[in-house]
Structure formats: structure tokens, C-alpha cells
Amino acid sequence: MLDEEIIAKLTENLPFKIDTDFGISSVINRQILLDNFGDLIIKVRTSVEEGDLMERLHPFTSMSIKNYVKDHLDKKQDLYYFEAEDDYDFFFEIGLKKDILDKYNFGEENTLSLWWGSKNTLSPFHYDSYGSGEDRVIKKIHGEDFYKKAYRHSILTVLEGKKKIYIIHPKYSQYLKYSESLQNGAAYCTEKKENILNNKNIEYETIILNAGESLNIPMFWWHRVENLEETIAIGSTFSL
């Protein structure tokens, strides 16, 4: 169970690092995926920059886990990354969802996501809103309560590898061009990364997340996630 100090930070709903992977790397890692599920067919997505977002609308590509490792990860190709979230409940499919949730052991209404990709694969600048009516109400709130009233929390945990994460406060949304039509429950920036980071009206934070570390990413906070090496990461979204 999360300790009281972490719970207090969550209720503030500000991004912060946690120096643990909650023991999840003992349940799921590269070797386990290869040894136990190598022949399983997975769906991989094209890795795209902000300026190429229409590529996200293309269908997933299917291949076995062992072929994904052999033909893409081992060759350090960064065309695809394995993304399992929303309706793609990969951990339920392989029978490990309960084991992973037992390791996290906090909150309610938990969902799990997985990202596994080579160096330079990425998720472009976006925020998560989880697609509910309450989200749309909160989104219209400005000022101090904008983030404190968010009721959903997301923890990103790196199991293997290393990520660079750019974080932008939602108050800077007015200076960003973005679309809410590409994915239910999320909004994606349509400008290139360089334009966003060089915009003098926007302040951003850069976080390096190593294996064995986790990061709280609140609703509506813009973030861009880049793999600095081959990386396996899990996301857990939950309510306190």
C-alpha cells in the first residue's frame, strides 16, 4: 500500500518521482515476455512525432512477441513500439493483471497499460483525460483548482531501460495547438516538439526516469515520453 507521504502528494496532483517499481519487474520483464509468451501475437503501433499524428490513425500491425524482439528491438529499429492500453487489455490476456495490481496495491478502478519500444520510440506531447463527463467539466476550470480537482491519477513505472519525459502544466494549454479527436480520453499536440519547447510563453520540466523508478502524471498535464534506450514501462491509472 502507498505510504501516507505519497498519498499526500497524490492529492496535490502534481508530478513527482517515486523511487520504486513496486516489485513489478519480478512479475513482468523482457525475459518473462520472451520465455512465456514469445509466440503470442501482439499489436504494435507506429512511433510518430507531433507533426505526423495522422499516422496514429493507421491500424496496428500484428506480430509475435519473439518476432517483435528479433526484427525490431534487437535490430534497434524505431518504427514500431508495443502499446497496450484502453480496450487492449494485454495483462488480462496473458493472465498477469491481478499479479501486477497486487504489486501496486492502491486505489480503485485500476487500469493497466504497457509500452515497450526501442531507443528513440516515443509518445508525442499529449494529455490524458480518460474520456468521462467529469473530465470535461474539470477541463473548463482555470486557476488553482484546475489540477487539484482532478480525481484520476496515473503512475508510470519503468521496469527496464530509461525514459526522458517533458512535462507542461495545463495552464499553458492556451499556447498550444492540439486535437482531441485522435483518441478518446486524450488530446495530442499538432505542433512539432521544437516549436513547443522554444515557445517563450511555455515553461516545461524535463524528467529522466530510470529502471526502478515511477512518476505520477496528473490528468491534463501535457507530457512527451521518449525512450533513451530499449524500455519496458507500465502505467497504472486509478482513483483514490
Side-chain angles (χ1 to χ4, degrees), residues 178-233:
Y178 58 94
S179 169
E180 298 173 291
S181 63
L182 290 170
Q183 180 178 331
N184 183 40
Y188 283 84
C189 284
T190 55
E191 302 174 81
K192 290 186 178 296
K193 167 190 172 183
E194 292 76 14
N195 293 340
I196 296 170
L197 298 183
N198 290 329
N199 188 326
K200 294 182 179 179
N201 294 309
I202 298 173
E203 295 182 5
Y204 66 90
E205 181 180 359
T206 304
I207 296 171
I208 301 298
L209 204 62
N210 297 290
E213 296 179 336
S214 300
L215 177 69
N216 172 52
I217 304 177
M219 286 180 14
F220 304 117
W221 286 69
W222 297 96
H223 51 287
R224 186 183 203 269
V225 185
E226 303 174 357
N227 283 346
L228 299 180
E229 54 194 53
E230 181 189 332
T231 302
I232 300 176

Side-chain angles (χ1 to χ4, degrees), residues 132-198:
S132 73
E134 290 87 350
D135 294 340
R136 289 190 287 274
V137 172
I138 295 170
K139 184 181 167 186
K140 294 179 181 178
I141 299 173
H142 297 283
E144 187 69 17
D145 289 337
F146 185 89
Y147 52 88
K148 289 188 177 180
K149 289 190 177 181
Y151 66 98
R152 293 286 283 172
H153 303 273
S154 182
I155 300 289
L156 174 65
T157 301
V158 173
L159 305 180
E160 299 181 20
K162 181 185 297 186
K163 288 182 177 290
K164 176 188 285 187
I165 304 163
Y166 298 93
I167 299 279
I168 297 175
H169 192 291
K171 67 184 179 182
Y172 297 112
S173 295
Q174 60 183 310
Y175 302 112
L176 295 168
K177 296 177 182 178
Y178 58 94
S179 169
E180 298 173 291
S181 63
L182 290 170
Q183 180 178 331
N184 183 40
Y188 283 84
C189 284
T190 55
E191 302 174 81
K192 290 186 178 296
K193 167 190 172 183
E194 292 76 14
N195 293 340
I196 296 170
L197 298 183
N198 290 329

